[in-house]
Amino acid sequence: MANKKEFDQFYNKNIDKIYRFVFFHTGMKRELAEDLVSEIFIKVLKNFDNYDENISKISWLMTITKNHLANYWRDSKICLSLPENNFEISKNLLFLANNKDNYSDKELYLMLDKLNDDEKNIVTLHYIFGYNYKEIAEFNKSTEGAIKIMSHRAIKKLKKLL
Amino acid sequence: MKLKIFYYFWKAKKISSPSKKFKSELYDLLENRWHEYYSFKKIAWYKQLWLQMSLITLFIFIFTGLSLAVYAYNNPSITTGNPLYSLKKTIEKVEETIIIIPVKKAEFYLNTIEKREKEIKTMENKNQNTKKVENEIIKIEEKLEKTETILKKEEKKDEKNEVLVNKIEKKLSERKKKFENKKNKITNINNSKATSSEEKDIKKNNKNDNDILCTMEAKMCSDGTYVGRVAPKCDFSLCPNEIRNNIKKEIDKLKNKILDNLDKLKKDIEKK
């Protein structure tokens, strides 16, 4: 049977990260993000008993989130006409920066656009969503050291650009 | 410059963070849902641990019981006195009641007789009393004879029964022969026991006389001769003088007896 304490720990560890991920992928609509995040965590709760120990829990949660977002986009057919199943975070951010004229931090997204795709992904995942290097390495199927080096280079690039 | 970059990141992070209110509300909602999904009632009956455990224990009990029963049923070394023997008997009783067809019943009785015979052999090897089992065989033989008569009646209808009837007759005749042999053996043993006991007594006596050893003492007689101790009581043997005196005494006694008899005869003759 599933362990409640384990679930609580899992919830506290991942709620912020998942919320940010959903928030940026739903056009920064707070209410929509909240609805989707609660639906995602209810899904997680239902399947927490059947969780496969061989897969990393964070990767498992990320796949649930991505699938849920994909379903939402498919069903709603509205708003920002984001391309389906596109989880390139930086592209979405850029899309937001270009479309949301009144958004104050447009500068950040324009700045990120100057990095290559991998660098953009790593920087947003680490500095905005709050994932650590080990988790990012799991998503990208790479090593922790390689991710650290890439992130360091990206920050250096940004420094030069500013 | 670096600070500016991190400031942008920090600001983006802050904007995109969930509110505390949302987090606590979601936590409460999840807690309620948790109790709905994972409470005892909601678990499917086949997933409940106590049921699984009890089913497993029941399965183990049935499995061990069946395996013990099969072992006891087929093993001739399980005889009276063995705790599994009662199990063996109950299985046989159940089998006997279940079988209705006389052909099958006869086969069953033949098999049980063979089993009992094997049991007797093992019991004899262990020097155990086989009377109970022999009585059982006699009872089974009676039942077998009954079924034989039924089979004979049916013989006309079914020719296959002939083979079985012959088998039964063979078995019964074998049993009778065995029984007679046993009887003869017992009588022979009894006779031999009686004779051997007599022989043993004699041997014992002989053995007693021969085996007793007396001390090497000597007694000096009045005529100057010496006499030693003699078995079985280890008393001193009589001196030659004493032997002579004893013989004289006995002769005197005999003389007196003869004289008395002669006097009696004389008196009788005189009376006549």
Side-chain angles (χ1 to χ4, degrees):
Chain A
M1 199 181 144
N3 191 348
K4 179 75 173 63
K5 265 190 179 179
E6 212 178 300
F7 180 76
D8 286 349
Q9 281 176 356
F10 181 74
Y11 171 79
N12 290 324
K13 198 183 169 186
N14 292 292
I15 180 69
D16 287 356
K17 294 167 193 173
I18 291 298
Y19 183 86
R20 283 183 203 120
F21 186 85
V22 175
F23 182 75
F24 279 107
H25 285 83
T26 49
M28 292 182 172
K29 287 176 182 172
R30 198 165 281 277
E31 282 176 1
L32 180 63
E34 283 177 1
D35 286 347
L36 290 172
V37 167
S38 14
E39 280 166 15
I40 287 162
F41 271 95
I42 286 163
K43 247 186 199 177
V44 168
L45 182 138
K46 281 180 185 174
N47 295 299
F48 204 70
D49 203 26
N50 307 320
Y51 162 70
D52 186 3
E53 292 287 338
N54 298 321
I55 309 162
S56 155
K57 251 186 185 165
I58 290 144
S59 308
W60 175 65
L61 178 62
M62 192 53 103
T63 48
I64 289 171
T65 311
K66 282 176 181 179
N67 290 336
H68 196 76
L69 279 172
N71 289 341
Y72 167 72
W73 287 330
R74 192 189 58 215
D75 295 341
S76 59
K77 298 169 187 173
I78 46 154
C79 49
L80 302 163
S81 67
L82 280 164
E84 274 188 31
N85 292 324
N86 188 352
F87 296 106
E88 293 285 321
I89 298 150
S90 55
K91 275 183 190 172
N92 292 335
L93 286 173
L94 188 69
F95 179 84
L96 283 169
N98 292 330
N99 287 280
K100 285 222 161 191
D101 297 327
N102 52 354
Y103 190 68
S104 57
D105 290 321
K106 200 174 177 181
E107 201 178 343
L108 171 70
Y109 306 116
L110 292 171
M111 183 180 78
L112 282 171
D113 192 40
K114 283 160 191 170
L115 299 173
N116 67 40
D117 287 345
D118 290 335
E119 285 170 343
K120 270 180 223 169
N121 270 329
I122 290 161
V123 166
T124 45
L125 281 168
H126 183 65
Y127 292 104
I128 299 169
F129 297 160
Y131 287 101
N132 60 33
Y133 291 120
K134 201 183 170 185
E135 288 164 349
I136 296 163
E138 269 175 35
F139 301 149
N140 291 354
K141 288 171 185 174
S142 179
T143 58
E144 200 181 329
I147 299 294
K148 270 182 186 175
I149 290 162
M150 276 181 93
S151 158
H152 183 70
R153 277 179 195 157
I155 296 294
K156 258 189 175 179
K157 250 189 196 178
L158 287 174
K159 253 191 201 177
K160 279 179 189 174
L161 290 167
L162 282 168
Chain B
M1 281 294 162
K2 204 179 178 181
L3 269 173
K4 204 179 175 182
I5 297 159
F6 285 117
Y7 171 72
Y8 282 138
F9 286 141
W10 174 79
K11 213 177 174 184
K13 208 174 180 178
K14 209 186 169 187
I15 290 161
S16 59
S17 290
S19 65
K20 276 187 182 175
K21 198 189 164 190
F22 166 70
K23 272 162 83 172
S24 64
E25 277 175 4
L26 182 60
Y27 183 79
D28 292 339
L29 177 82
L30 290 171
E31 196 153 339
N32 289 330
R33 286 290 172 94
W34 179 275
H35 291 299
E36 276 176 29
Y37 279 103
Y38 296 107
S39 62
F40 183 75
K41 283 176 188 174
K42 285 285 169 182
I43 299 168
W45 64 271
Y46 56 86
K47 277 186 178 179
Q48 286 175 17
L49 192 70
W50 67 272
L51 196 73
Q52 285 176 347
M53 292 303 287
S54 53
L55 278 170
I56 288 162
T57 45
L58 190 73
F59 174 75
I60 289 163
F61 267 109
I62 290 166
F63 181 74
T64 47
L66 279 171
S67 53
L68 277 172
V70 169
Y71 172 75
Y73 186 74
N74 293 316
N75 201 344
S77 65
I78 286 161
T79 53
T80 49
N82 195 307
L84 291 173
Y85 191 69
S86 55
L87 191 71
K88 193 179 186 175
K89 293 284 283 177
T90 48
I91 293 163
E92 279 175 359
K93 269 185 185 175
V94 169
E95 205 177 345
E96 197 184 336
T97 48
I98 288 168
I99 298 165
I100 310 161
I101 307 159
V103 180
K104 296 274 175 188
K105 212 158 202 173
E107 280 174 352
F108 167 75
Y109 287 138
L110 283 168
N111 285 329
T112 44
I113 287 168
E114 277 174 12
K115 272 182 196 172
R116 290 294 107 83
E117 280 173 345
K118 280 176 187 175
E119 279 172 24
I120 287 168
K121 269 184 186 177
T122 50
M123 284 169 90
E124 278 171 350
N125 289 332
K126 289 174 185 173
N127 291 325
Q128 287 175 325
N129 194 7
T130 56
K131 263 192 178 179
K132 263 191 178 179
V133 186
E134 275 166 4
N135 289 331
E136 275 178 30
I137 290 175
I138 292 160
K139 279 178 188 175
I140 296 162
E141 278 173 357
E142 283 168 6
K143 286 174 185 175
L144 191 67
E145 278 168 3
K146 278 180 188 175
T147 46
E148 195 191 8
T149 50
I150 295 162
L151 282 171
K152 275 178 181 172
K153 281 175 190 173
E154 286 180 356
E155 216 174 338
K156 288 169 188 174
K157 292 171 189 174
D158 192 5
E159 286 177 359
K160 283 177 185 177
N161 289 359
E162 265 182 62
V163 183
L164 195 68
V165 170
N166 289 331
K167 228 182 180 182
I168 293 163
E169 277 171 358
K170 255 188 183 182
K171 190 75 198 173
L172 289 170
S173 63
E174 270 176 29
R175 288 289 312 160
K176 273 174 189 172
K177 272 182 187 176
K178 273 186 184 177
F179 188 70
E180 278 166 11
N181 283 333
K182 265 197 176 177
K183 252 190 174 179
N184 290 329
K185 266 185 186 178
I186 291 160
T187 48
N188 286 332
I189 287 161
N190 285 334
N191 290 331
S192 63
K193 269 182 183 174
T195 49
S196 63
S197 62
E198 282 168 12
E199 279 172 1
K200 273 177 186 175
D201 288 339
I202 294 157
K203 276 179 185 175
K204 264 187 183 177
N205 291 331
N206 289 334
K207 264 185 183 178
N208 286 338
D209 288 349
N210 294 326
D211 293 345
I212 295 162
L213 294 166
C214 301
T215 50
M216 295 288 282
E217 287 171 299
K219 181 185 158 187
M220 198 178 141
C221 297
S222 55
D223 61 341
T225 53
Y226 292 92
V227 187
R229 292 185 185 275
V230 186
K233 289 182 177 178
C234 286
D235 289 333
F236 285 111
S237 60
L238 295 166
C239 291
N241 290 339
E242 285 172 335
I243 293 164
R244 265 177 234 149
N245 289 332
N246 284 342
I247 291 163
K248 268 182 184 177
K249 276 178 186 173
E250 276 180 13
I251 289 164
D252 288 339
K253 272 182 185 176
L254 282 167
K255 265 184 180 177
N256 289 327
K257 265 190 179 177
I258 291 160
L259 284 170
D260 286 338
N261 286 330
L262 278 169
D263 285 338
K264 275 181 184 176
L265 278 167
K266 271 180 185 176
K267 279 176 184 175
D268 287 336
I269 292 160
E270 279 171 3
K271 276 181 183 175
K272 280 178 181 179

